[in-house]
């Protein structure tokens, strides 16, 4: 059905929802299912331990795969001899890199990873061979029998060293400067702007090398049928589609001969936002031996293959005019890419786009480069590209407010954007309650009464942030809809939503059930969700960029239009009223004017299907497309469309800390958060996401860091030595959902899973400054750093007396 | 991550256990909670040919805590039991507290007091208060029984005084003297699942005046290959009433004795700094407790 037809018949927007300015009985915001704190549809089986994860699955004839990993961070592979491994009873096959030479990578323009290393290894723990054997023990024993001869190369672990020594050592032959990509974006005239500024500060910030810490390690089970040439892969992934696509490239099998299915998934946070070697190896081995092959990473393999957050080395200069309005930002960022490209180019330009919100900035210069090093690759991690620049910017604003002699709250309120804002890079923000977030967090925490007034060792800090609610582009050149859904209604299965969205634990299956129920006028308990399967479900781009609630919501709305129209027409005949005056709510169909005229929804479905058979609705969603330009000059700017999104979520946080000035330990005691997530579809889930977000980055701010020795070998590839905070470190939390409704969004929704990670680093850092008068520019902020800084401060104070 | 192949024994009595220990010698390992043993075996750091699971032997478990008679704790008593024992909490709060700070709830329900000692990790929690309390261990073999002060039992990293054919069966804790108190503290990056950066116990006994220190024992962990009993602190404090100046002096003395190393968890320099902080705080806390304030 064309959009045009929908509009004339039902007076709906192209996305398929009602317009504003309607009487209460037609009010689109009078939800019954959306906005309800309902238990997760996947909750009971997970609590009972009955959820089936990929690693729980056993197929008839299934065998096990294991990966032999490099013991050098940078070396030429001279020879691999696996003859002894093949002789071990129970070993079925061994593969090496040459078996699958096609390069994979989520950004196809830069794809440069092979399943197993070919000719050279570029990080410690890189896969060099893989074994299939009848049991895991035999597979592990076989790995020991594979002999690999290496010729070590110099190991480059620091991006600056990597650039400096590029003349002498190259990590990738086709990247002559050891740089994956470098870019510059200039908007306005920053030199002129800085010259006119009253307050200018320049600082350097360095972030750390944390990892996601999801509980379920990467796991894959592949079953190849030699008869039909069909591959079925069960995998713990966030991106069934991109995985599907890359499997097709690596295996040289058409996509329609590959099916990707997601069992229960134990978290991802971006780490499963790229294909995993486990998936390729399981598939290759299964094809080779014609039996199902299961591959589960050990925890150290999760660390070896990493794809965690990029360490960023940022030089930031910010200028304000006399009144405190931000006039210019000059930002220079060197990102540590690790060994392979992955999401690299995208992350580089996300750090650029983050400069334009949530404050109005008329002049911006970004210069950045993503640099290869001999470390496990960095990739996507909750709040991709935002967390590092947000930390730098919110900290520098804290300093600038101090220089100006005003509260950081005042400075933020002054510069915060409002709804219908167009950034200088043409990024459009349809709706923002950011100011309300700031106000709420400040009011509820008593920030103004406490800031600067607490005793030495206690402090309070504030920061804000935002994140996208989906992206505007696919990662490969294509403008197809980002999400398609199919809804089936009949008397046999009730309501079933079929899609390929990936519920990785974030709860999208529950939220989608609520949205389908809302739109059809039934209850969320009535909706079955079939998701995470590329064969059963219609197309979906994946779980990343906080896109699902918005994208699925829009597609669901569209799919329901068709179904509701038929339900209404059928009911109209049964009730003798006009179809366009019918309301679908609470499992009933009734006239909005003569409310006595009503009939159970189920009865209508029965009537319809007994004549026509099952009802099916299709819906899809394509994000709005805008040019990446400088809106003043109209000139195209490289990478400027990265960061565009249909809408944006916002968060403000106030953190209260106590610093033990003798041991240096930092205790975050209380966090007051206020978030603009549009309509909270499931408020309980929003609270969970926000609390989880805060703990996630509290960890990376104060504890988490992957450490390597001088040879690039991991020192802490386990949860024993890689320290995440525990529930003991969880502060008291007061999370608030501010009143917000984005009229351009389905059900008024926005993201909530990544916006709330943004303010955590700077709010803690600023609170530490308030507590002990020391500003930190390196992460994580450890007790040792605190003690050292306090000693230095004492020495300076003593000498100035 | 696979264990080597081993033969598994599950004796029911202490006699059966001792026979196995005697017969299998160094090729066998005793399996108590397994929270250290399994980790080492999975990492292939050790590959014993035999495991002797002592969890079926009732004689190795339990707490006997009688008024005026100290306490006897079986080697295979779970740390959770020690943590929650009302009797131990009243008489030996330092031990109950230390037991409750080990790992996580799951770990404490598996881990035993004997395992914590026999594993001989320099960072272990419970040996520190046990040494401060003057605990003796009971060592059994087919040929008999001997007793030894715990501070002499743990000799080095993963090395104890156990001879081939011997095992640990009991801990004997002396009755605390009147006007005394023992306290435990530690420093880590986080408050659960932590391997301590430094830990420490102090035991103070006062003269009848309730102020003058008659005896003091300060024990440090994670700063030496085995629990380190301070030699310098007692002469500084015995016969004195504790003052801020004395606390500072004693803390510095302890700091000087500590010989920590740099590792992934903390630098030696930081550890030394923390020894001083903990000593200062713990001496004061223990002194106040002994005074009854
Ligand atoms: C996740 C985790 C967290 C931990 N956190 C802490 C912590 O915070 N603090 C801490 O101190 N420890 C910690 N540990 C270490 C461990 O839990 C303790 O050392 C525990 O007390 C060991 O007891 P067990 O009964 O499990 O010993 P086992 O593993 O069964 O045995 C340990 C060693 O002692 C030997 N052994 C055991 N009993 C006897 C006996 N009666 N006679 C002779 N030899 C014996 C065994 O053969 C073995 O060599 C942690 C371990 C894990 C896995």
């Amino acid at each position: 059905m064309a959009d045009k037809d929908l509009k004339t018949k039902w007076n709906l927007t192209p996305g398929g929802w009602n317009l504003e300015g309607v009487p209460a009985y037609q009010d689109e915001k009078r939800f019954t299912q959306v906005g309800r704190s309902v238990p997760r549809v996947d909750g009971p089986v997970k609590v009972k331990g009955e959820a089936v994860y990929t690693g729980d699955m056993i197929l008839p004839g299934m065998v096990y795969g294991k990966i032999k990993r490099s013991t050098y961070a940078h070396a030429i592979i001279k020879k691999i001899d696996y003859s002894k491994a093949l002789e071990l009873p129970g070993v079925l096959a061994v593969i090496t890199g040459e078996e699958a030479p096609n390069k994979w990578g989520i950004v196809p323009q830069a794809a440069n990873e092979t399943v197993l290393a070919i000719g050279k290894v570029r990080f410690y723990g890189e896969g060099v061979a893989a074994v299939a054997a009848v049991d895991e023990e035999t597979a592990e024993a076989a790995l020991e029998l594979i002999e690999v001869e290496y010729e070590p190369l110099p190991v480059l672990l620091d991006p600056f060293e990597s650039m400096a020594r590029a003349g002498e050592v190259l990590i990738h032959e086709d990247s002559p400067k050891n740089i994956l990509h470098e870019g510059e974006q200039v908007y306005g005239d920053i030199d002129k702007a800085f010259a006119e500024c009253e307050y200018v500060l320049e600082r350097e910030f360095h972030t750390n090398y944390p990892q996601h810490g999801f509980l379920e390690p990467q796991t894959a089970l592949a079953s190849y049928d030699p008869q039909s040439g069909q591959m079925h892969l069960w995998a713990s992934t966030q991106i069934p589609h991109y995985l599907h696509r890359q499997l097709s490239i690596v295996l040289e099998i058409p996509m329609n001969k590959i099916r990707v299915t997601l069992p229960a998934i134990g978290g991802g946070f971006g780490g499963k936002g790229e294909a995993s070697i486990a998936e390729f190896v399981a598939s290759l081995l299964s094809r080779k031996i014609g039996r199902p092959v299961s591959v589960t990473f050990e925890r150290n393999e999760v660390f070896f293959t990493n794809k965690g957050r990029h360490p960023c080395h940022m030089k930031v200069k910010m200028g304000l005019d006399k009144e405190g309005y931000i006039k210019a930002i000059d930002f220079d960022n060197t990102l540590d890419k690790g060994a392979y490209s992955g999401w690299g180019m995208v992350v580089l330009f996300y750090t650029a786009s983050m400069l334009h919100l949530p404050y109005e900035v008329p002049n911006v210069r970004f210069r950045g480069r993503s640099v290869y090093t001999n470390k496990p690759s960095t990739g996507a991690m909750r709040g991709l590209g935002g967390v590092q620049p947000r930390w730098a910017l919110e900290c520098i604003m804290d300093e600038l407010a101090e220089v100006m002699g005003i509260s950081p709250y005042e400075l933020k309120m002054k510069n915060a954007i409002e709804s219908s804002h167009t950034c200088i890079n043409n990024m459009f923000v349809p709706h923002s309650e950011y100011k309300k977030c700031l106000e709420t967090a400040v009011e509820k925490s008593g920030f103004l009464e406490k800031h600067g007034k607490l005793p030495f060792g206690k402090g309070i800090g504030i920061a804000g942030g935002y994140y996208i609610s989906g992206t505007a582009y696919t990662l490969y050149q294509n403008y197809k809809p980002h999400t398609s859904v199919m809804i089936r209604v009949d008397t046999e299965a009730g309501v079933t939503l079929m899609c390929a969205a990936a519920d990785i634990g974030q709860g999208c299956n529950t939220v989608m059930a609520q949205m389908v129920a809302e739109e059809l006028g039934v209850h969320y308990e009535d909706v079955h969700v079939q998701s995470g399967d590329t064969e059963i479900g219609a197309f979906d781009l994946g779980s990343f960029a906080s896109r699902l609630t918005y994208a699925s919501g829009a597609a669901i709305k569209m799919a329901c239009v068709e179904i509701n129209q038929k339900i209404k027409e059928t009911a109209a005949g049964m009730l003798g009223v006009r179809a366009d005056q019918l309301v679908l709510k609470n499992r009933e169909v009734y006239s909005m004017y003569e409310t006595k005229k009503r009939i159970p929804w189920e009865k209508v479905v029965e009537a319809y299907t007994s004549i026509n058979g099952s009802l099916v609705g299709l819906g899809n969603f394509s994000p709005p497309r805008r040019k990446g330009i400088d809106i003043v000059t109209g000139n195209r700017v490289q990478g400027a469309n990265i960061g565009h999104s249909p809408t944006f979520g916002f968060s403000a946080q106030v953190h209260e800390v106590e610093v033990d000035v003798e041991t240096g330990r930092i205790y975050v005691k209380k966090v007051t958060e206020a978030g603009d997530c549009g309509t909270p579809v499931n408020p309980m889930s929003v609270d969970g996401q926000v609390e989880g977000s805060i703990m996630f980055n509290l960890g990376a701010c104060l504890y988490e860091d992957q450490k390597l020795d001088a040879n690039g070998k991991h020192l802490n590839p386990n949860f024993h030595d890689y320290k995440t905070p525990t529930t003991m470190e969880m502060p008291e939390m007061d999370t608030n959902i501010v009143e917000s409704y984005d009229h351009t969004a389905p059900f008024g929704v926005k993201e909530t899973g990544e916006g709330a990670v943004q303010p955590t680093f700077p709010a803690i850092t600023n609170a530490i400054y308030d507590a002990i008068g020391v500003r930190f520019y390196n992460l994580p902020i450890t007790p040792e750093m605190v003690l050292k800084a306090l000693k230095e401060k004492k020495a300076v104070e003593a000498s100035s007396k | 991550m696979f264990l080597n192949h081993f033969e598994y024994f599950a004796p029911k009595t202490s006699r059966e256990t001792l026979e196995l220990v005697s017969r299998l010698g160094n090729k066998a390992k005793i399996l108590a909670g397994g929270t250290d043993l399994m980790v080492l075996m999975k990492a292939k750091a050790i590959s014993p040919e035999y495991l002797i699971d002592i969890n079926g032997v009732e004689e190795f478990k339990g707490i006997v805590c009688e008024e005026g008679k100290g306490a006897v704790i079986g080697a295979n008593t779970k740390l959770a039991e020690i943590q929650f024992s009302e009797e131990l909490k009243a008489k030996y709060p330092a031990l109950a507290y230390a037991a409750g700070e080990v790992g996580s709830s799951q770990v404490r329900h598996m881990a035993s007091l004997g395992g914590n000692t026999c594993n001989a990790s320099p960072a272990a929690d419970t040996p520190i208060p046990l040494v401060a309390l003057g605990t003796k261990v009971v060592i059994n073999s087919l040929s008999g029984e001997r007793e030894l002060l715990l501070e002499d039992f743990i000799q080095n990293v993963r090395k104890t005084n156990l001879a081939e054919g011997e095992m640990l069966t009991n801990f004997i804790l002396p009755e605390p003297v009147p006007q005394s108190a023992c306290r435990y503290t530690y420093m880590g990056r986080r408050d659960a699942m932590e391997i301590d950066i430094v830990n420490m116990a102090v035991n103070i006994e006062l003269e009848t005046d309730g102020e003058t220190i008659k005896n003091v024992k300060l024990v440090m962990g994670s700063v030496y290959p085995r629990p380190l009993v301070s030699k310098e602190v007692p002469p500084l404090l015995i016969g004195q009433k504790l003052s801020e100046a004395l606390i500072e002096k004693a803390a510095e003395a302890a700091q000087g004795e500590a010989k920590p190393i740099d590792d992934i968890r903390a630098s030696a320099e930081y550890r030394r700094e923390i020894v001083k902080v903990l000593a200062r705080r713990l001496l004061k806390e223990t002194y106040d407790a002994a005074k009854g304030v």
Side-chain angles (χ1 to χ4, degrees):
Chain A
M1 194 182 320
D3 281 349
K4 186 166 58 63
D5 302 335
L6 297 180
K7 211 180 269 172
T8 49
K9 197 156 188 178
W10 298 104
N11 195 23
L12 299 170
T13 63
W17 50 92
N18 290 318
L19 292 166
E20 260 284 89
V22 287
Y25 49 82
Q26 286 180 324
D27 184 355
E28 63 178 37
K29 290 190 242 173
R30 288 182 58 183
F31 300 126
T32 67
Q33 301 304 308
V34 160
R36 250 176 96 190
S37 279
V38 298
R40 295 266 292 263
V41 294
D42 52 337
V45 286
K46 283 187 176 162
V47 170
K48 288 187 286 179
E50 290 170 7
V52 177
Y53 295 83
T54 309
D56 295 324
M57 293 181 62
I58 294 175
L59 294 182
M62 184 179 97
V63 301
Y64 296 86
K66 289 249 174 226
I67 297 160
K68 171 90 177 171
R69 297 189 173 277
S70 164
T71 47
Y72 288 90
H74 200 190
I76 307 276
I77 302 173
K78 305 269 289 185
K79 199 171 123 199
I80 303 180
D81 180 358
Y82 53 80
S83 51
K84 283 188 200 137
L86 271 180
E87 282 163 21
L88 187 72
V91 172
L92 301 168
V94 179
I95 54 170
T96 57
E98 285 76 13
E99 206 128 336
N102 291 354
K103 305 224 160 113
W104 67 277
I106 193 153
V107 182
Q109 301 89 307
N112 64 356
E113 204 159 349
T114 51
V115 174
L116 298 163
I118 300 177
K120 170 170 167 171
V121 291
R122 296 179 175 85
F123 66 90
Y124 184 95
E126 181 165 5
V128 293
V131 174
V134 291
D135 54 40
E136 281 185 281
E137 210 172 336
T138 308
E140 212 177 82
L143 295 185
E144 301 290 311
L145 299 175
I146 299 175
E147 287 161 18
V148 189
E149 211 179 291
Y150 297 99
E151 180 186 315
L153 294 169
V155 174
L156 303 173
L157 297 175
D158 172 77
F160 297 100
E161 188 193 351
S162 181
M163 288 188 284
R165 293 179 64 189
E168 168 206 345
V169 198
L170 280 186
I171 295 176
H172 293 277
E173 294 308 318
D174 57 357
S175 299
K177 296 196 276 182
N178 278 338
I179 291 175
L180 157 63
H181 196 76
E182 51 192 328
E184 184 175 59
Q185 296 182 350
V186 183
Y187 305 94
D189 185 341
I190 66 153
D191 295 326
K192 182 161 163 277
F194 275 122
E196 289 165 10
C197 281
E198 180 81 13
Y199 306 97
V200 177
L201 261 188
E202 199 172 346
R203 293 283 181 265
E204 275 191 38
F205 294 85
H206 306 275
T207 63
N208 47 333
Y209 189 40
Q211 208 191 63
H212 322 82
F214 42 78
L215 285 184
E216 183 204 16
Q218 280 92 345
T219 306
L221 167 58
S223 178
Y224 181 74
D225 176 15
Q227 200 71 36
S228 61
Q230 178 84 30
M231 177 72 76
H232 194 171
L233 180 76
W234 290 264
S236 177
T237 182
Q238 298 175 225
I239 42 150
H241 168 65
Y242 283 108
L243 168 60
H244 193 187
R245 203 171 170 272
Q246 291 171 79
L247 271 177
S248 169
I249 292 168
V250 168
L251 299 174
E252 298 178 352
I253 302 179
M255 285 176 82
N256 61 29
K257 287 276 186 188
I258 303 173
R259 173 178 176 189
V260 176
T261 302
L262 274 57
I265 293 180
F269 309 105
K272 295 171 186 167
E274 284 183 58
S276 150
I277 298 296
E279 292 148 358
F280 295 122
V281 164
S283 304
L284 288 165
L285 286 171
S286 178
R287 181 168 65 180
K288 186 154 187 153
I289 63 176
R291 288 170 73 168
V293 177
S294 166
V295 176
T296 301
F297 279 1
E298 302 285 353
R299 180 59 55 183
N300 63 10
E301 296 182 283
V302 178
F303 280 98
F304 292 157
T305 50
N306 190 31
K307 312 280 185 183
R309 192 175 282 149
H310 292 62
C312 285
H313 305 277
M314 302 171 283
K315 282 188 206 148
V316 191
K317 187 172 165 188
M318 188 185 265
L320 313 178
D321 70 8
K322 243 196 333 266
E323 281 84 48
Y325 289 103
I326 302 171
K327 288 291 147 198
I329 294 178
D330 192 4
F331 186 87
D332 184 285
N333 192 4
T334 302
L335 295 91
D336 189 341
K337 183 68 227 55
Y340 291 97
S341 64
W343 281 94
M345 217 185 284
V346 173
V347 179
L348 172 72
F349 286 115
Y350 262 107
T351 70
S353 82
M354 294 292 154
L355 307 174
H356 300 277
L357 285 175
Y359 309 104
E360 179 151 8
V361 190
N363 300 282
V364 175
R365 180 168 68 188
F366 167 84
R367 284 179 294 194
R369 56 213 70 78
S370 186
V371 184
Y372 288 119
T373 55
N374 292 118
K375 288 177 175 162
S377 309
T378 45
M381 180 158 151
R382 205 175 199 173
L384 173 158
V387 170
Q388 304 94 324
R390 183 57 42 214
W391 176 56
L393 294 166
E394 294 287 313
C395 286
I396 211 168
M397 282 177 79
D398 207 68
E399 269 188 76
L400 276 163
E402 192 183 18
V403 172
M404 281 186 72
I406 63 167
S407 157
Y409 168 62
E410 193 185 330
L411 184 62
K412 288 181 209 304
M413 285 296 281
K414 197 170 233 160
N415 287 284
I417 59 122
E418 294 189 0
S419 295
S420 293
H421 175 77
T422 306
C423 305
I424 190 161
N425 68 345
N426 202 26
M427 193 151 73
F428 177 68
V429 184
H431 182 258
S432 165
E433 299 293 356
Y434 179 47
K435 285 187 173 174
K436 218 189 267 174
C437 296
L438 288 167
E439 278 165 10
T440 310
V442 160
E443 214 165 275
K444 293 208 70 182
S445 62
F447 176 81
L448 294 175
E449 296 76 53
K450 293 175 185 167
H451 187 236
K453 301 180 187 102
L454 297 171
F456 187 70
K458 287 189 181 188
I460 189 164
I462 184 172
Y466 82 97
Y467 209 62
I468 51 174
S469 303
T471 55
Y473 298 92
T474 48
L475 290 167
Y476 52 96
Q477 279 273 313
N478 195 304
Y479 296 97
K480 64 183 163 195
H482 287 196
T483 293
S484 297
V485 302
M486 208 161 24
I487 298 173
R488 164 188 158 192
V489 177
D490 54 30
T491 47
E492 285 68 37
V495 179
T496 311
L497 170 71
M498 281 170 276
C499 63
D503 194 328
I504 56 171
Q506 86 278 40
C508 72
N509 282 358
T510 309
V511 164
M512 291 191 301
Q514 288 180 269
M515 295 192 295
V516 171
E518 184 65 54
E519 210 50 22
L520 291 179
V522 296
H523 289 178
Y524 108 106
E525 296 87 338
D526 304 339
V527 180
H528 307 284
V529 178
Q530 289 288 341
S531 65
D533 191 304
T534 59
E535 200 165 287
I536 295 174
F539 179 84
D540 185 277
L541 215 47
S543 284
F544 56 90
S546 289
R547 55 179 295 279
L548 274 182
T549 307
Y550 192 112
S552 299
I556 285 168
K557 280 234 170 210
M558 190 187 278
C560 289
V561 169
E562 225 172 311
I563 295 170
N564 286 347
Q565 183 184 345
K566 287 173 180 157
I567 294 279
K568 283 181 182 175
E569 280 168 0
T570 307
M574 296 167 86
L575 291 170
V577 297
R578 277 175 53 167
D580 64 352
Q581 293 176 359
L582 287 173
V583 176
L584 308 175
K585 252 190 195 355
N586 278 324
R587 298 171 171 155
E588 280 191 307
V589 184
Y590 59 89
S591 159
M592 66 180 77
Y593 301 110
E594 304 146 80
T595 47
K596 276 195 192 128
K597 295 209 163 160
R598 49 177 67 230
I599 184 169
W601 182 85
E602 230 174 42
K603 285 266 175 272
V604 185
V605 171
E606 205 180 303
Y608 179 91
T609 50
S610 57
I611 302 165
N612 304 293
S614 294
L615 250 167
V616 174
L618 285 172
N620 61 58
F621 168 70
S622 302
R625 199 177 155 193
R626 297 170 70 89
K627 283 186 180 172
I629 55 169
D630 177 328
I631 56 165
V632 179
T633 62
N635 293 338
R636 259 191 76 86
V637 179
Q638 183 207 184
N641 49 10
I642 291 178
H644 288 192
S645 170
T647 191
F648 299 83
F650 298 87
S651 168
Q653 285 171 25
V654 172
H655 284 238
E656 293 172 63
V657 304
E658 268 177 48
V659 180
D660 183 331
V661 296
E662 289 186 332
T663 64
R665 245 188 90 167
I666 297 157
Y667 299 85
V668 179
K669 301 302 264 190
K670 185 171 179 198
V671 181
T672 310
E673 192 268 356
D676 164 11
C677 62
T679 301
V681 179
N682 186 347
M684 185 160 69
S685 267
V686 173
D687 286 341
Q689 282 293 326
V690 171
E691 290 184 2
S693 293
I694 292 168
M695 279 312 281
F696 193 82
N697 260 4
L698 190 151
C701 185
L702 300 177
Y703 302 90
E704 300 175 36
D705 207 7
Q706 296 178 79
K707 297 248 201 267
L708 307 175
D709 70 11
N711 299 318
K713 183 181 172 187
H714 285 253
L715 294 170
N716 54 349
N718 55 63
F719 282 149
H720 206 63
D721 294 315
Y722 178 91
K723 301 227 185 280
T724 64
T726 72
T727 47
M728 299 293 284
E729 278 68 48
M730 182 159 171
E732 180 190 340
M733 294 216 194
D734 176 15
T735 61
N736 302 277
I737 300 170
V738 306
E739 179 75 36
S740 165
Y741 190 88
D742 180 351
H743 295 286
T744 67
F747 308 100
V749 302
K750 300 181 176 184
E751 69 81 34
T752 190
E754 295 185 274
V757 299
Q758 309 291 339
T760 304
F761 282 6
I764 294 175
T765 312
N766 293 336
I768 294 171
Y769 174 71
D770 189 50
I772 60 170
V774 178
R775 292 202 185 269
F776 287 95
Y777 303 97
N778 290 281
L779 295 176
I781 306 169
T782 64
E784 302 210 37
M785 283 162 64
V786 170
L787 276 201
K788 195 157 163 264
L790 282 171
K791 255 191 202 157
E792 282 164 12
K793 185 172 170 244
K794 234 188 208 162
V796 171
E797 281 166 4
S799 69
S800 66
K801 259 179 202 159
Chain B
M1 289 295 273
F2 284 90
L3 305 179
N4 60 293
H5 289 253
F6 55 83
E7 212 171 319
Y8 172 85
F9 296 94
K12 288 275 172 275
T13 65
S14 120
R15 175 85 203 168
E16 273 173 38
T17 313
L18 291 175
E19 274 169 12
L20 285 166
V21 169
S22 159
R23 180 153 62 83
L24 304 173
N26 287 343
K27 290 182 181 161
K29 278 277 173 196
I30 287 179
L31 170 68
T35 59
D36 279 315
L37 190 63
M38 289 300 135
V39 176
L40 289 175
M41 285 175 69
K42 277 195 168 180
K44 302 225 158 48
I46 53 170
S47 305
E49 287 174 37
Y50 308 99
L51 286 192
I52 306 167
D53 181 345
I54 59 170
N55 289 289
V57 185
E58 288 307 315
E59 296 145 86
F60 297 148
K61 296 181 198 164
I63 301 165
V64 180
C65 191
E66 277 174 52
E67 192 57 41
K69 286 194 188 156
V72 178
I73 304 177
N76 196 22
T77 306
K78 301 289 176 193
L79 295 180
E81 203 181 319
I82 293 167
Q83 169 190 7
F84 296 119
S85 156
E86 291 303 329
E87 289 164 314
L88 291 183
K89 275 199 277 188
K91 215 192 252 191
Y92 307 102
L95 174 63
Y97 172 63
E101 294 303 302
V102 169
S104 62
S105 180
Q106 292 93 324
V107 170
R108 294 190 293 271
H109 278 87
M110 294 297 289
S112 67
L113 191 66
N116 204 206
T117 280
C118 291
N119 187 54
S121 153
D125 278 288
T126 61
I128 303 299
L130 285 172
V131 168
L133 288 163
T135 303
K136 280 186 194 158
V137 289
V138 181
I139 298 161
N140 282 74
S141 68
L142 274 187
S143 51
E145 182 172 299
R146 61 186 176 109
E147 284 179 17
L148 195 65
L149 272 176
L150 178 57
E151 56 199 272
D152 300 324
F153 178 75
I154 301 176
Q155 297 184 324
N156 208 326
V157 182
R158 304 220 180 285
K159 193 165 168 4
T160 66
N161 181 271
L162 280 181
E164 202 166 343
E166 285 187 327
M167 68 174 289
L168 186 72
T169 51
N170 277 310
F171 291 84
I172 301 176
L173 284 71
E175 178 74 12
V177 293
Q179 300 263 31
S180 76
C182 181
R183 291 292 181 270
Y184 174 73
T185 192
Y186 69 97
M187 166 74 191
R189 286 285 297 281
R190 57 187 184 188
D191 284 339
M193 297 296 282
E194 186 59 312
I195 304 299
D196 301 340
I197 289 170
V198 174
N199 52 27
M200 190 179 286
V202 170
N203 195 350
I204 291 179
E205 180 191 354
L206 299 179
E207 298 282 2
T208 43
D209 67 357
E211 283 187 334
T212 309
I213 296 174
K214 183 172 171 192
N215 248 317
V216 60
K217 193 165 182 182
L218 184 148
V219 189
M220 298 171 256
S222 261
V223 294
Y224 202 68
R226 58 186 165 86
L228 179 64
V229 181
S230 168
K231 291 201 177 74
E232 293 179 23
V233 169
L236 283 171
L237 298 184
I238 289 172
Q240 308 283 331
K241 291 173 186 157
L242 200 64
S243 64
E244 289 300 326
L246 270 178
I247 290 178
E248 201 57 36
K249 255 188 166 172
E252 270 167 26
Q255 186 181 30
E257 287 175 277
K259 301 271 175 299
I261 55 161
D262 284 306
D263 67 12
I264 179 100
R265 288 183 272 281
S267 68
E269 187 191 340
Y270 181 71
R271 283 195 160 99
R272 255 192 300 275
E273 195 66 39
I274 295 306
V275 167
K276 193 167 147 189
V277 175
L278 294 191
R280 226 166 25 214
R281 291 178 180 178
L282 196 63
L283 281 167
K284 176 140 184 26
E285 183 192 338
T286 314
Y287 184 69
D288 287 347
K291 284 204 300 187
V293 291

